[in-house]
Amino acid sequence: MIPLCAFQVEKNRRAADSLPKLKELSEFVDEIANMRHNPRQPWVGQTAFSHKGGMHVHAIGRVARSYEHINPEAVGNSRHVLVSDMSGRTNI
């Protein structure tokens, strides 16, 4: 919810400046709480910015905004391209 508000409203610059540390903070809180980090969490999960479909990955390579609502680095995450039976030439 915090990233959504920061990106949509853009009034709180303090929150926006600390967003690149969001994934690190989420992992730290899970470690302190002795919980396993959920890879499917929005924004900070390992699979939040993962892509595997051939046409989908091709579009990400051309115009990332077409499938990603924000730049993954803005919240301390990264983009992952997976290889599967749905992969195309761009995935490889």
Side-chain angles (χ1 to χ4, degrees):
M1 187 71 171
I2 293 170
L4 185 60
C5 291
F7 289 121
Q8 296 296 325
V9 178
E10 295 183 6
K11 287 186 179 180
N12 188 353
R13 288 302 313 162
R14 180 183 242 178
D17 292 341
S18 60
L19 281 177
K21 299 176 186 173
L22 188 63
K23 182 175 180 179
E24 182 183 342
L25 175 64
S26 175
E27 291 170 346
F28 174 74
V29 169
D30 285 343
E31 183 179 332
I32 295 299
N34 199 25
M35 294 177 62
R36 186 178 146 270
H37 188 69
N38 183 357
R40 294 186 176 153
Q41 280 185 312
W43 306 94
V44 296
Q46 185 178 0
T47 60
F49 296 96
S50 295
H51 310 283
K52 72 175 183 178
M55 189 177 225
H56 184 96
V57 172
H58 185 71
I60 290 289
R62 300 250 176 160
V63 182
R65 292 185 327 250
S66 61
Y67 284 91
E68 293 178 343
H69 51 289
I70 62 158
N71 186 0
E73 287 81 20
V75 289
N77 211 336
S78 59
R79 180 179 301 127
H80 303 281
V81 175
L82 309 172
V83 178
S84 73
D85 58 338
M86 297 170 44
S87 297
R89 216 177 326 164
T90 309
N91 294 56
I92 299 168

